[in-house]
Amino acid sequence: MLPFCRLDNFLCIGYDKQEPCRKVRYIVMRITFCQWETKIMYSLVIAEDEFTTRRALVNMIRWNELGFQVDGEFSDGRELLDYLKSNIPDVILTDIKMTQVGGLEIARLVSEQNLPIRIVFLSGHKEFSYAQEAVEYHVAHYLLKPIDLSRLREVFRSIREKLDVQSAQEDLLQNRRDHYSRLVNYEKQQFVTDAWFGALSNPEQMAARLRLIQARTSEDGTERQFLVRMVLRKDGQYQEFLDNYGQQELQEQIIHILEYFDRRLEYYPITWSNIEEGLAVLGVFWESEADRPGVYYPEELEKSIYDLMAVQAKVTTFQKLSSPEELAHYTENVGRKEPANHLVQDKEYLQLLRDQKKLLYSYLCQNNAVQVRELTGALLNNYLRGGVAFAQSQCIHTVTKLIDEITGHDLMEWNQLYGKCMNPLPALQAEGLRTWLEDCVGLLYEYMTGQSDTKEDTSIEKVMEYLRLHYSEDITLNTVAEAVFLNPVYISRLIKEQTGRNYTELVMEMRVEQAVELLEHSDMYVYEIAEKVGYNNLKYFYKVFRKVKGKSPSDYRA
């Protein structure tokens, strides 16, 4: 809730004060004829032991016109010292000498603790020694009494200009930090995905990628990562959540809980899958504070999900990984105990193969030669686990599927690529299959390299076209990935780069825009519109609509 206060003809609508000892930034709107003027107000405190002078300084100066808001007034420096224990104003206007603690002591504290505060001295004393000490403590200005108001305004306008420049630089730096943080998080997500699906297995490449994302290591040199698998029980409460909010919101809520489970852990999802027991989520916790290792209890995670969502969850795996290489080879355990003739019917194994093929196509779209080469080898190794005959049929199917996706509806291009790849057909032996598959993927890579200017545009067009047709359905990012044969992480990056929004925000806006159209041009009831655009829970629809449009559907229609 934003606090409100009047500032002459300005209306202060809020400020950013996230915690003590942080600078206060007031956001002010000035009401003018037919427009709103936004203005940042810097915080100012005044310390003066003479009551009349202090009140005149507070009330007679139009501080808001100069860009300042008076946050406090003090009759002595001791009171101001107490104030500075939990507050950091932008500027202090203080008498240089007061009864107990004067301005010099305040300036000394600010200088010694390197606080980001500008100080302006007021004094009736003209002794040079005071001015010398003021310079030593980096005091911004030194004004003499009686106060020249025009000079005071000039001083504070100058301070305001410098603060504006500083604020702009701080905003730019923060934006760069935020951008870098998002890039690092994306790289960690991609690292986990690549390692799991076999696009990253070379130790040297792993080390280089880890250095890129500045991953910390423990004392024995191993990465602090935890593989976690959790199953949401398919019961009445689970179904009720789906009926009200849908699959995507369910996944969003689960991810949110996992991300904030422990401040030392960052969570990166790998896969979602529907199994007989319910919805299974697999991912990696990445310990962000390696120097402060913790002990983690799966029961706490299960309890958090039930307390916040009323959905039963069972953590089936919570395993510390001894190294990133262990994550890279973990998929070899899928169906390990099954003979080859049974393995080819294992749903988890078949889904793993399909996910690897989607990731391979995604990297072909990006012209990423290293990951294409690594993933091709990993994919063939997994095929061979089902037997040589199975591997041969899967290699042919994979190449055919890739040609389908690459050429789209261009039959001539399809025939040319298919003819080059399928003549001759792969030999029915492991090494022959490997050579053939590598040659075919290399040929497709060369073709895609020539299409690099348009391929990612084509990919995002496929994604957006699917969303335009199906946004009102209960679709998840994984649903879209299946439909357009791309990796979910790749799709997520494409959407963010092209629209500036994440997947959930984009779908939400699509639904709300269609709701707006129906509110304006139909006489349907609001609950009917909510259901039509994909929201079965009317209360949730109101919440989403208000978030996007700033008002309820009923108010918008009115």
Side-chain angles (χ1 to χ4, degrees), residues 166-179:
Q166 177 183 322
S167 180
Q169 291 173 342
E170 289 173 351
D171 289 344
L172 179 61
L173 181 60
Q174 187 60 47
N175 288 338
R176 287 176 177 171
R177 286 172 178 163
D178 292 344
H179 179 65

Side-chain angles (χ1 to χ4, degrees), residues 44 46-63 66 70 73-74 93 122 145-149 152-153:
L44 166 69
I46 298 173
E48 167 62 61
D49 56 354
E50 295 180 12
F51 176 79
T52 305
T53 305
R54 184 173 71 252
R55 296 308 299 161
L57 286 171
V58 171
N59 296 315
M60 293 182 64
I61 309 297
R62 293 180 178 269
W63 292 111
L66 296 171
V70 178
E73 53 177 297
F74 306 97
L93 175 60
L122 288 171
K145 297 178 182 177
I147 300 169
D148 182 341
L149 294 183
L152 185 143
R153 293 190 185 96

Side-chain angles (χ1 to χ4, degrees), residues 47 49 75-81 94-108:
D49 56 354
S75 60
D76 190 81
R78 187 176 298 279
E79 299 172 4
L80 179 53
L81 287 176
T94 178
D95 194 348
I96 201 168
K97 290 194 71 176
M98 289 180 282
T99 308
Q100 298 182 44
V101 176
L104 284 175
E105 287 86 345
I106 301 296
R108 185 182 299 116

Side-chain angles (χ1 to χ4, degrees), residues 217-280:
T217 56
S218 59
E219 293 178 359
D220 59 2
T222 59
E223 292 301 316
R224 294 189 182 276
Q225 297 169 354
F226 301 82
L227 184 69
V228 60
R229 183 178 185 272
M230 184 171 60
V231 177
L232 308 182
R233 186 185 301 169
K234 193 184 298 181
D235 55 15
Q237 292 169 309
Y238 172 85
Q239 192 58 48
E240 182 180 359
F241 193 100
L242 286 186
D243 292 341
N244 283 327
Y245 305 107
Q247 281 273 4
Q248 182 60 28
E249 182 63 21
L250 174 68
Q251 292 186 13
E252 289 283 332
Q253 291 294 333
I254 293 296
I255 292 295
H256 185 77
I257 293 170
L258 291 170
E259 286 177 339
Y260 292 94
F261 171 56
D262 189 294
R263 68 181 180 85
R264 293 165 295 188
L265 298 176
E266 301 167 354
Y267 181 75
Y268 299 96
I270 298 175
T271 61
W272 299 83
S273 55
N274 287 298
I275 56 178
E276 292 183 8
E277 296 90 337
L279 179 68

Side-chain angles (χ1 to χ4, degrees), residues 364-420:
L364 281 171
C365 291
Q366 295 179 64
N367 301 124
N368 190 321
V370 175
Q371 262 58 64
V372 166
R373 183 173 59 252
E374 288 277 321
L375 197 49
T376 301
L379 190 56
L380 181 62
N381 291 339
N382 270 330
Y383 285 159
L384 289 170
R385 291 170 58 202
V388 177
F390 174 76
Q392 184 191 49
S393 66
Q394 285 300 305
C395 284
I396 294 173
H397 177 270
T398 297
V399 171
T400 305
K401 179 64 177 176
L402 291 175
I403 294 173
D404 288 344
E405 295 297 330
I406 288 170
T407 58
H409 301 294
D410 192 325
L411 186 58
M412 183 177 294
E413 292 288 336
W414 190 94
N415 283 327
Q416 289 179 357
L417 281 176
Y418 187 82
K420 291 178 180 178

Side-chain angles (χ1 to χ4, degrees), residues 245-253 255 272 460 462-484 486-512 533-535 540 544 547-548:
Y245 305 107
Q247 281 273 4
Q248 182 60 28
E249 182 63 21
L250 174 68
Q251 292 186 13
E252 289 283 332
Q253 291 294 333
I255 292 295
W272 299 83
I460 191 64
K462 288 165 61 177
V463 171
M464 297 302 290
E465 179 63 23
Y466 185 84
L467 288 178
R468 280 191 288 269
L469 294 174
H470 301 278
Y471 69 87
S472 62
E473 301 170 16
D474 185 15
I475 56 172
T476 66
L477 186 58
N478 293 69
T479 309
V480 180
E482 286 288 337
V484 300
L486 288 167
N487 175 261
V489 176
Y490 177 63
I491 294 176
S492 180
R493 181 181 69 82
L494 277 180
I495 290 175
K496 187 69 175 178
E497 288 179 351
Q498 295 291 329
T499 70
R501 302 166 183 80
N502 61 35
Y503 169 77
T504 304
E505 292 169 341
L506 180 62
V507 173
M508 184 188 300
E509 288 191 11
M510 284 183 166
R511 289 176 170 179
V512 169
V533 300
Y535 293 107
Y540 184 59
V544 168
K547 180 178 181 180
V548 176

Side-chain angles (χ1 to χ4, degrees), residues 270-486:
I270 298 175
T271 61
W272 299 83
S273 55
N274 287 298
I275 56 178
E276 292 183 8
E277 296 90 337
L279 179 68
V281 54
L282 178 76
V284 167
F285 277 123
W286 197 309
E287 195 164 53
S288 57
E289 296 186 22
D291 54 331
R292 297 180 59 187
V295 179
Y296 307 105
Y297 301 97
E299 297 81 7
E300 295 178 1
L301 186 53
E302 295 168 357
K303 184 176 184 302
S304 296
I305 291 174
Y306 185 78
D307 289 345
L308 295 170
M309 298 179 63
V311 173
Q312 297 279 357
K314 179 64 178 176
V315 178
T316 60
T317 303
F318 202 109
Q319 177 183 340
K320 182 178 179 180
L321 302 172
S322 61
S323 68
E325 286 82 3
E326 185 176 350
L327 176 64
H329 296 292
Y330 205 94
T331 53
E332 297 170 5
N333 296 320
V334 176
R336 168 173 283 187
K337 297 180 180 179
E338 298 184 50
N341 59 334
H342 289 169
L343 183 61
V344 296
Q345 298 176 356
D346 185 289
K347 292 181 180 179
E348 186 178 3
Y349 169 72
L350 295 177
Q351 185 59 47
L352 170 64
L353 298 183
R354 182 168 178 80
D355 287 336
Q356 284 183 306
K357 284 186 283 189
K358 287 187 295 184
L359 186 58
L360 176 59
Y361 176 58
S362 300
Y363 275 129
L364 281 171
C365 291
Q366 295 179 64
N367 301 124
N368 190 321
V370 175
Q371 262 58 64
V372 166
R373 183 173 59 252
E374 288 277 321
L375 197 49
T376 301
L379 190 56
L380 181 62
N381 291 339
N382 270 330
Y383 285 159
L384 289 170
R385 291 170 58 202
V388 177
F390 174 76
Q392 184 191 49
S393 66
Q394 285 300 305
C395 284
I396 294 173
H397 177 270
T398 297
V399 171
T400 305
K401 179 64 177 176
L402 291 175
I403 294 173
D404 288 344
E405 295 297 330
I406 288 170
T407 58
H409 301 294
D410 192 325
L411 186 58
M412 183 177 294
E413 292 288 336
W414 190 94
N415 283 327
Q416 289 179 357
L417 281 176
Y418 187 82
K420 291 178 180 178
C421 289
M422 296 302 170
N423 188 18
L425 286 172
L428 192 61
Q429 52 166 312
E431 285 308 310
L433 282 175
R434 187 177 302 279
T435 301
W436 180 83
L437 184 60
E438 288 175 351
D439 289 345
C440 286
V441 173
L443 182 67
L444 298 179
Y445 176 83
E446 290 179 6
Y447 176 85
M448 293 286 281
T449 302
Q451 307 289 321
S452 59
D453 292 339
T454 60
K455 201 63 226 173
E456 286 207 352
D457 290 341
T458 304
S459 297
I460 191 64
E461 285 171 8
K462 288 165 61 177
V463 171
M464 297 302 290
E465 179 63 23
Y466 185 84
L467 288 178
R468 280 191 288 269
L469 294 174
H470 301 278
Y471 69 87
S472 62
E473 301 170 16
D474 185 15
I475 56 172
T476 66
L477 186 58
N478 293 69
T479 309
V480 180
E482 286 288 337
V484 300
F485 203 70
L486 288 167

